[in-house]
Amino acid sequence: LTLKHILFPDDQSTQRLFSGCPVLEELTLDNCYWENINAISISAPMLKSLVIYDLLDSESRCQVIIFG
């Protein structure tokens, strides 16, 4: 799964998306927008590859939590 330039509105939207992918093996997040996100929780027990391309600014405080 590759997501490019996606605007996530809140923490709950990311949690709903990434908790609904139990057989996800590869995930790429390419320059997504995290302004309103405190934490991204990715629960994918089969995850083998995670790539995050991001243009971080000094105000970004988003945490990435992975349950693989």
Side-chain angles (χ1 to χ4, degrees):
L1 176 63
T2 298
L3 301 175
K4 292 184 177 186
H5 305 286
I6 302 296
L7 171 63
F8 293 101
D10 54 39
D11 289 346
Q12 294 168 341
S13 65
T14 60
Q15 185 175 357
R16 280 193 308 265
L17 173 64
F18 296 125
S19 68
C21 303
V23 294
L24 183 66
E25 292 186 2
E26 298 180 6
L27 176 61
T28 300
L29 302 172
D30 189 353
N31 293 311
C32 293
Y33 302 97
W34 313 105
E35 287 92 18
N36 299 322
I37 307 297
N38 294 318
I40 305 164
S41 179
I42 300 171
S43 180
M46 304 296 290
L47 192 63
K48 296 177 183 175
S49 171
L50 172 63
V51 178
I52 301 174
Y53 298 107
D54 200 9
L55 298 173
L56 293 176
D57 59 28
S58 61
E59 296 181 21
S60 179
R61 301 282 186 247
C62 183
Q63 290 183 321
V64 178
I65 303 165
I66 303 166
F67 300 98

